[in-house]
Every structure is written in C-alpha cells, then in structure tokens.
Amino acid sequence: MSKHPHWRRDEPQWFNINELSTDALRGIRVAHGVESRLISKDAGESGSTTAILHLPAGWKLSQPSEEATIELLVLEGDVSVEGSRHGAGGFIAISPGCGTVELSSEGGAQVMLFYNPELTPEHCYGGELYTMETWSTDWTPFVQAADQRHGLMYKSLRVPDITEGTVHGGPGGMLRLVLILPGYTSPEHEYHEESWEEIVFVSGDIVMPNKGVGHAGTVLCNPPSLEHGPYGSQRSSVTICHGLNPQPTAYTSLPGSQEAMAHYLNTESLFDNELKTELWADKLRKGAVWLPHGILANS
C-alpha cells in the first residue's frame, strides 16, 4: 500500500480500515478506553480526527460539548443520547455550547467518529444537540449535466448543507451519505480546489482507474486540488463523504478511463462474494483489467 502514514490528510490515500491495527486516540474523550481504528487526522494542531470506534456493551460517557464538534454515525449496534436510543443509521452531532451530553450503549456499537475542534456553532448545528435517523429520510438525486448518466443520490448529515450550484456543502464543509447506483460511471477526473476530502466506502463495490477496486471499508483521501476518479460501480455503493470546507468541483479528462470501467462492468460478477480492496496494479498483474494503451498505471 502507501509508503506514507495512512492517516495523513495532505497525502493521497487508498486503504482498507479492516487492515488497520487498533489505536489509542489520545486527547479525545469519547474515544478514551475503547478500541479505535484511526482513519485520518490533521497533521497540524487542530486535532481534527476521523476514526471508527468499537463501543463495548454497557459503555457510558458524560461528554462535555465544549471539547469540539463531535459527530457519530452508528454503523451497527446502538447508541443512546440523553436516554434516546439510536440504532444502525443513527446520527448524533454534539455542538459546542449545548452542555454535557450523556451517551451510552446497551449492546455495544461500531460508530464512525468525526471530531473537529475547528467547527464552531456558527459553522454548523448552532450550539444545539442534533440527531437523526438516516433510514427515515429520503435520498435526494444529485443534479448532473444533461449529457451525464444519472446515478448519484445523497443524504445530508452535517447541516446546513448547500446541495445546489457549483459549490456544495455548508460553512462547516460537507458530511453526507452518498449512494452510487448499480452500473453508474462518472464521466471525468475531478478535483476540489482548497478543499480536502475523504470518502469511506460502507458497502458495495467501486472501481477507480489509477487507484483500484474498493469495497466495504475502503478509504479514499484526496488532498486539495488532487485529481481523482472517474469511478464506477457494478452492484452499487454507499459511501460517507467528508470535508471541512465548502466544495467546488472542476473536471479534467482521463483518456482510456471509460473503456477501463466498461470492461470492469462487463466482467465483474454481480454476485457479492468475499470481495476485498485491491490496488490497480494488482488487478493488472492478474490480467483482470484491460489497460488501453498502457496509460492507466497505478499512481
């Protein structure tokens, strides 16, 4: 995999969470004493961190809201906030200024943690405790150009979230669930000026020329202005898209990428069986991916 630490946000990343060892996330109260896997963190002084926490049955915590903006997405199990239980798909945001919040888990849980001291109540949540059940909200179609194949939908987690126009996200950036429909392929390379982005694949499959094939647990990290994509999915994919700034998107072409993704869709099984994250170069060595004119070497 990569030669630099997987968690660095100023470097491109492509790895699988399930291959990581557990970490002690120092200085983050909600992660104290629980098994954690570090996904990313700011290499500077902000302390901004993304991680997966494995909460044991019977876990309890009094979380002071002044520490940071804390967002928890329940992947499995249960988390209660102020006595209100949230199961899989539950989302909890604790904003500075809302007071101490009582958290607990009766049966244990696996949760995504987004810990961002730089996000103030003016950025998001207005100093209030915010919760939602993602399964009970509708998917919103992503508006694309008329000549592009439609196939993306999303649900906003962090609010506010601007969802139209050339710049998406709110003052505190973007945190969304994104659904890539089966057979969808994006048209071009894209990049986001002055906007760091991480994408965690929760389910399904993804192919991205120059990166590889990803499945549940794959993480893609794009530093500002890094060209990435295009991408496609055979069986559909649910992802978590996260960034800390409003996100403009610009596009460039990657010759041969559409042919490579078409080959993937024509040959990849529809049957989801023991899938794993792979590097693009490994797919090439197996002879499983057609490489038009040798232009899509692993980055």
Side-chain angles (χ1 to χ4, degrees):
M1 292 276 180
S2 59
K3 297 179 181 179
H4 42 258
H6 75 272
W7 52 263
R8 289 190 64 99
R9 293 179 173 179
D10 58 349
E11 297 282 357
Q13 304 290 355
W14 177 265
F15 62 90
N16 196 288
I17 299 166
N18 299 313
E19 298 172 357
L20 302 178
S21 59
T22 58
D23 294 275
L25 301 183
R26 302 183 185 278
I28 301 179
R29 183 178 177 84
V30 71
H32 180 71
V34 301
E35 181 180 304
S36 308
R37 283 182 167 84
L38 176 64
I39 295 175
S40 71
K41 67 178 180 182
D42 182 13
E45 298 180 355
S46 77
S48 177
T49 300
T50 302
I52 282 190
L53 307 182
H54 298 265
L55 307 179
W59 175 82
K60 294 182 179 180
L61 178 71
S62 295
Q63 176 64 47
S65 68
E66 301 303 326
E67 183 180 347
T69 294
I70 294 173
E71 296 156 313
L72 301 172
L73 177 63
V74 183
L75 301 177
E76 61 182 20
D78 69 278
V79 174
S80 292
V81 53
E82 296 295 314
S84 177
R85 185 183 184 278
H86 300 272
F91 180 71
I92 301 160
I94 302 172
S95 176
C98 71
T100 298
V101 176
E102 299 297 327
L103 300 170
S104 63
S105 178
E106 180 180 359
Q110 183 173 206
V111 302
M112 286 280 297
L113 164 68
F114 303 92
Y115 176 89
N116 292 303
E118 64 269 51
L119 294 186
T120 68
E122 289 72 27
H123 287 118
C124 47
Y125 308 118
E128 301 292 331
L129 178 66
Y130 176 81
T131 64
M132 67 176 292
E133 307 298 336
T134 59
W135 58 264
S136 67
T137 62
D138 293 335
W139 290 100
T140 300
F142 188 83
V143 177
Q144 297 176 266
D147 60 345
Q148 294 180 6
R149 178 183 298 170
H150 291 251
L152 295 181
M153 306 178 80
Y154 63 86
K155 298 185 181 188
S156 299
L157 300 179
R158 183 177 298 154
V159 293
D161 183 15
I162 305 301
T163 60
E164 297 179 349
T166 58
V167 180
H168 279 222
M174 180 192 300
L175 182 59
R176 294 177 178 173
L177 286 179
V178 178
L179 171 63
I180 304 170
L181 298 182
Y184 174 81
T185 58
S186 67
E188 296 176 292
H189 248 157
E190 62 183 63
Y191 62 94
H192 315 293
E193 290 186 1
E194 301 180 2
S195 179
W196 161 83
E197 172 188 56
E198 70 180 346
I199 299 173
V200 180
F201 297 91
V202 177
S203 63
D205 69 294
I206 195 78
V207 62
M208 185 173 291
N210 279 6
K211 287 295 184 183
V213 176
H215 304 287
T218 297
V219 175
L220 171 68
C221 179
N222 302 311
S225 298
L226 176 74
E227 292 183 338
H228 56 280
Y231 54 89
S233 179
Q234 178 71 292
R235 290 166 290 272
S236 84
S237 180
V238 175
T239 76
I240 302 168
C241 184
H242 180 223
L244 295 173
N245 302 99
Q247 189 180 87
T249 302
Y251 298 94
T252 59
S253 64
L254 181 63
S257 60
Q258 296 301 313
E259 293 91 334
M261 288 190 294
H263 178 76
Y264 174 83
L265 295 176
N266 280 322
T267 57
E268 180 70 10
S269 173
L270 287 170
F271 184 52
D272 189 350
N273 184 30
E274 297 182 356
L275 303 176
K276 65 178 182 178
T277 304
E278 292 184 273
L279 288 173
W280 188 252
D282 292 339
K283 295 286 286 185
L284 298 182
R285 279 192 288 271
K286 293 179 182 178
V289 176
W290 174 55
L291 186 65
H293 310 301
I295 58 175
L296 298 178
N298 187 64
S299 60

